[in-house]
Amino acid sequence: MLPLDIHSLWRGRGKIRGGVHPESHKEATADQPIVTAFPLPNRLYLPLQQHLGQPAEPVVRVGDKVLKGQLLAASQGPISAPVHASTSGTIAEITEYPAPHPSGLPTPTLVLEPDGEDRWMESAGIDDPFSLTPEDICARVDKAGIVGMGGAAFPSAMKLNLGWKTRIRMLIINGGECEPYLTCDDRLMRERALEIIEGVRIMLHGLQCPTALIAIEDNKPEAYAAMAEAARKHGRIEVVLVPSLYPMGWEKNLVTHLTGREIPAGGRPTDVGVLLHNVATAYAVQQAIRYGRPLISRVVTVSGEAVERPRNVEAPLGTLLSELLAFCGHRSERTARYVMGGPMMGDQLPHVLVPVVKRTSGILALTPEELHAADTRPCIRCGRCVSACPVGLLPLEMMTRIRAGQFDAAVGFGLRDCINCSSCSYVCPSRIPLVQYFKYASGELAARREAQQKTEQTNRLAEEKQRRLERVKQEAAQRRAQAQSSAQGTTP
C-alpha cells in the first residue's frame, strides 16, 4: 500500500444516502498486470447491438476480406454506434447468435474468421488533437464506435455533443469501480495513466469545459498515485479520492458527493452542469483521436473461485466468454453461476458461449460457497433495505405490491427510480431477492408498454386504411358521377 498525503484527500461536499460495504474480492486480480497476449480465437462474434439505441447496419457481405479496425456495420440514427473488425480476416456469416444477456436470446451478429495476420487498416490519427474543433472531436468519437465503458453503453459522442451544446462546467471521470471482483479500471489507471489523462484533456477541449475531476475510491492507492502523477502538470484536472462505499460509482452519488448538487428525479447530470464518463472511455477516446483506432478491444476481469488463474485480459471484442475463462483456467464443475460484470449489478448468464461486447467489464465464475445461498425467510421488517437504498426508496413496499401484481402501485413507490444496485438484497437478513422482483416488474411494465404501442400502432394503421378506403370509394363515386354527368350532357 502506498502512503497517502492527507492533504490530497478530497473532502466531499454532499452526503451520500444509503450504500453498503460488500466484500471486495479484488485481491486475486488487482496486483497482476493486464494480459495483452491473448491468442486470437478461431471466430469472433460481433453483435450489431452493443450499445443503447438502434443496432448498427452491416456494410459488409459474407465472404468479404476485412482489415483490423475496418467498419463492418454503420450506426443508424442519432443514438447508435458502429461496429468495427477486431482483427483482419473474412466475414464468415451474418446470422442470429445468442446475446450476452440473461435471456440468452439470439441477436443479429457478424461472424469474423481471423486470418492470423492481425493487419490494421490505414489509420487516420492526428498529431495535435487540440487543433480539432469540438464538432470534429465528436465526429471522430462517433466514427470510432465508442460507448460508455462503465456498463451503460450509451454512445459517447452523444454525451460529448450534448455537453458541448449545454456548456458543461465540470467533467467527472469515474474511476470508482465499486463493484466487487472487478479491477479492470484499477489496472488501466495504474498502467495507462498518461493515456487516460490525455483522453480527459481531449474531452475537456471537445466540451469547451473548464475543469475535470477524476474520482477514485480510497481503496485504490496505487491507481490514485499513478493518475495524480500523470495529471500533475495539468491544472484543469484534479484527481480526488472518494469513499469506498457501494454504489459510489452511481452517477448521482458521485455528483452529489463531489459538487454538493443533487440531480433531480428523472434528470441527468447535465441538468446541474456536470457530465460523467468512465476512465476506460477516456482511454478509448485518446486512442481514437490520437491514433485513429476504433473501439475493438477492452480489458476484462476474469475472476471467481472457479477460475484457477484470475487476471485482467485485454480481449478482442467478439471473443467468447468461454474462451476467456478457459485461458484463465476455468473449472466448470465448480461453477454455480456465471455473471457478466460485477455480482451486484451484473447480468447472470445461462451459459458462457456468448461474446465479449463493449460493455463487458468482467466475467465471473462463482462457486456455491461464494454465493452464500440460503433459503428465503419471511420479512422481519428490520428496515435495513430502506437504510441501504441509495435512492431513498421503500424496497419492501415495492416488493409487496409486485407480489400482488400491483405494478402501477409499485411505480407509485418509485419503481422507475430504482437503479437495481442490489444493496437492499445484500443487507436483507431474510435473504429476500428484492432486486429480482424489481427487475421482473420493470420488464413486465416494459413489455406492457411495448404491447400497448403495438396495439396503438395497429389501430392507427387500421384507421388510416379505413380512411384510405373511404377516400378511394368517394373518388370512385365522384368519377362515376362526373362520367354520368358528361354522358347526359352529350345526349341529343
Side-chain angles (χ1 to χ4, degrees):
M1 300 284 284
L2 300 178
L4 293 178
D5 178 3
I6 190 65
H7 298 295
S8 69
L9 294 174
W10 180 261
R11 301 191 182 280
R13 301 172 184 172
K15 187 178 185 300
I16 300 300
R17 179 193 288 126
V20 295
H21 291 278
E23 297 177 49
S24 72
H25 296 286
K26 294 177 182 283
E27 59 280 353
T29 57
D31 293 327
Q32 297 187 40
I34 296 169
V35 177
T36 57
F38 180 73
L40 275 174
N42 293 326
R43 281 192 159 198
L44 295 168
Y45 297 82
L46 298 162
L48 300 179
Q49 181 88 51
Q50 300 188 39
H51 49 271
L52 290 180
Q54 295 296 314
E57 182 72 21
V59 295
V60 291
R61 294 179 294 182
V62 173
D64 284 356
K65 304 288 186 182
V66 298
L67 296 174
K68 186 175 182 178
Q70 183 176 329
L71 179 69
L72 302 182
S75 57
Q76 298 295 303
I79 304 180
S80 186
V83 175
H84 301 80
S86 304
T87 186
S88 57
T90 304
I91 302 299
E93 292 183 73
I94 301 177
T95 185
E96 297 279 325
Y97 191 83
H101 185 270
S103 69
L105 293 174
T107 186
T109 301
L110 292 165
V111 182
L112 173 61
E113 288 187 349
D115 58 16
E117 299 180 15
D118 206 32
R119 287 179 297 145
W120 275 97
M121 66 176 296
E122 186 175 344
S123 62
I126 185 167
D127 293 332
D128 182 12
F130 306 100
S131 65
L132 298 173
T133 65
E135 295 93 336
D136 288 337
I137 289 175
C138 286
R140 287 171 181 255
V141 169
D142 180 38
K143 186 178 178 182
I146 299 173
V147 302
M149 304 282 279
F154 190 85
S156 299
M158 279 289 295
K159 290 178 71 172
L160 289 172
N161 190 47
L162 176 65
W164 170 64
K165 290 181 177 179
T166 56
R167 298 299 179 187
I168 291 300
R169 296 188 294 277
M170 178 183 290
L171 171 64
I172 294 178
I173 301 297
N174 186 356
E177 198 170 40
C178 56
E179 274 274 5
Y181 291 92
L182 300 187
T183 59
C184 51
D185 286 350
D186 184 5
R187 290 307 315 181
L188 201 65
M189 289 187 287
R190 294 196 207 186
E191 299 182 33
R192 304 175 189 178
L194 289 173
E195 291 89 341
I196 294 172
I197 292 299
E198 183 172 55
V200 175
R201 293 176 59 216
I202 292 170
M203 286 181 171
L204 284 176
H205 178 68
L207 290 166
Q208 297 293 286
C209 177
T211 185
L213 289 179
I214 302 176
I216 303 172
E217 280 196 337
D218 57 18
N219 61 357
K220 301 175 181 62
E222 292 86 356
Y224 171 79
M227 293 291 287
E229 175 61 25
R232 187 168 52 86
K233 297 179 182 179
H234 308 290
R236 298 168 61 195
I237 303 173
E238 185 174 1
V239 184
V240 300
L241 287 170
V242 295
S244 52
L245 174 70
Y246 178 87
M248 177 54 74
W250 178 41
E251 61 181 22
K252 291 193 176 183
N253 272 354
L254 270 182
V255 171
T256 299
H257 182 71
L258 295 175
T259 70
R261 298 171 181 168
E262 189 164 344
I263 301 171
R268 301 186 182 95
T270 51
D271 295 334
V272 293
V274 176
L275 190 68
L276 276 84
H277 278 285
N278 176 265
V279 288
T281 307
Y283 174 76
V285 167
Q286 188 264 352
Q287 294 289 296
I289 303 299
R290 173 68 75 177
Y291 303 110
R293 297 172 183 167
L295 180 56
I296 58 173
S297 68
R298 69 156 298 146
V299 180
V300 181
T301 299
V302 185
S303 192
E305 290 184 7
V307 177
E308 291 182 350
R309 298 181 298 278
R311 59 183 80 176
N312 286 289
V313 181
E314 185 164 15
L317 298 182
T319 301
L320 293 183
L321 296 178
S322 57
E323 293 177 305
L324 266 183
L325 285 165
F327 179 72
C328 296
H330 175 220
R331 298 172 60 191
S332 58
E333 74 280 0
R334 291 278 294 129
T335 305
R337 180 179 298 171
Y338 296 108
V339 177
M340 189 178 78
M344 301 295 280
M345 294 186 73
D347 292 329
Q348 183 177 334
L349 300 178
H351 57 81
V352 286
L353 294 175
V354 293
V356 173
V357 292
K358 296 177 182 182
R359 66 182 185 90
T360 305
S361 54
I363 175 62
L364 309 179
L366 304 177
T367 63
E369 293 79 9
E370 289 175 285
L371 295 177
H372 304 296
D375 293 335
T376 298
R377 299 186 297 273
C379 174
I380 60 174
R381 297 200 171 259
C382 63
R384 292 185 188 178
C385 58
V386 178
S387 301
C389 180
V391 190
L393 304 178
L394 301 173
L396 175 61
E397 299 296 335
M398 291 196 299
M399 185 269 290
T400 303
R401 271 70 182 176
I402 292 167
R403 289 182 65 174
Q406 301 171 358
F407 298 111
D408 291 335
V411 170
F413 276 95
L415 177 63
R416 290 204 173 100
D417 294 320
C418 175
I419 62 171
N420 296 324
C421 69
S422 296
S423 293
C424 55
S425 298
Y426 182 82
V427 300
C428 179
S430 296
R431 301 292 184 184
I432 299 173
L434 293 161
V435 75
Q436 292 184 26
Y437 284 101
F438 307 150
K439 288 182 178 181
Y440 162 72
S442 297
E444 192 67 26
L445 288 170
R448 290 184 182 183
R449 284 195 300 272
E450 185 176 350
Q452 183 179 357
Q453 289 171 356
K454 286 183 178 178
T455 300
E456 291 173 353
Q457 184 179 19
T458 300
N459 291 339
R460 187 166 55 251
L461 291 173
E463 290 173 0
E464 290 175 358
K465 181 179 180 181
Q466 187 61 36
R467 286 195 295 268
R468 187 168 63 253
L469 291 174
E470 289 291 339
R471 188 167 59 250
V472 170
K473 186 176 179 181
Q474 291 174 4
E475 290 173 352
Q478 289 175 357
R479 284 195 298 270
R480 284 197 301 270
Q482 290 174 355
Q484 200 173 35
S485 176
S486 297
Q488 291 174 352
T490 58
T491 300

